[in-house]
Amino acid sequence: MENFRKVRSEEGPEEGSAGTGPFADLAPGAVHMRVKEGSKIRNLLAFATASMAQPATRAIVFSGCGRAATKTVTCAEILKRRLAGLHQVTRLRYRSVREVWQSLPPDPGCPPASLSVLKNVPGLAILLSKDALDPRQPGYQPPGPRPGPPSSPAAPTAKRGPGNTAAGEGAPKRSQPEPGAGEEDRTA
C-alpha cells in the first residue's frame, strides 16, 4: 500500500439497523452519545452526567465504532459507577466502510489506477437506563451493587523495608556472605 494513497472513505449503513439505531423501542427523550476516536472522556462524561441528572432523561446510549469501541465501554462503565442502579444492554454491530485508494503514478504519462476496499468495522452501542429493562434480551446486565463506604482491611499491613519484618514473620533471615568473599570467610 506504499504506492497508494487514500482518496476517500464512504460509510454505509450499519448492519441490523433500519435507520432507528440499535434500540428501536427507545424513549424519545433518550440521549445519544456518539463516541469518536478523538473524543475526550471527561467531556463525554460531563455532558452525560449532567443529562442523566435531569429527571426527564431516563436513558442514555453510548455508541462507538472501530478504535472508539474501547472508549465507549470506558464511558459506560464510569457512568455506571457514578450513577448507581443503571440497567445496561449492549449491542454489537458492524458498519461497512468502502475506502477508495489511488496509485501514485511512477511516470507522468501513466494514468493512476484505483483500488476499492470494503471493510466491516465493528461497532458497539451501550444503553444505560434508569428504568428496568427486559432481562431476557441478549446483552442485558442488571445494576451492580450499591456503592458503600470503603471497607477497611482486616489487619493493618506494615510496609517492609530493610530491618522491618512483615506481620507473621518471626524468624530472622539467614545472612548471606558478601559477593566476592573468599573461601576462608565461610565456616560450617
Side-chain angles (χ1 to χ4, degrees), residues 5 14 20 27 29 40 45 50 61-62 64-66 74 76 78 80 98-100 116 118 151 167 169 174 177-178:
R5 66 180 172 92
E14 292 187 8
T20 60
K40 300 250 185 265
L45 287 175
V61 176
F62 285 99
C65 187
T74 301
I78 292 173
K80 280 177 21 181
R98 181 177 301 279
E99 293 180 345
V100 178
S116 179
L118 182 65
S151 61
E169 293 181 11
R174 191 172 81 199
E178 293 281 328

Side-chain angles (χ1 to χ4, degrees), residues 8 11-12 24 38 85 93 99 164 169 178 185:
R8 67 180 180 273
E11 291 189 11
R93 309 179 302 171
E99 293 180 345
N164 291 346
E169 293 181 11
E178 293 281 328
D185 291 342

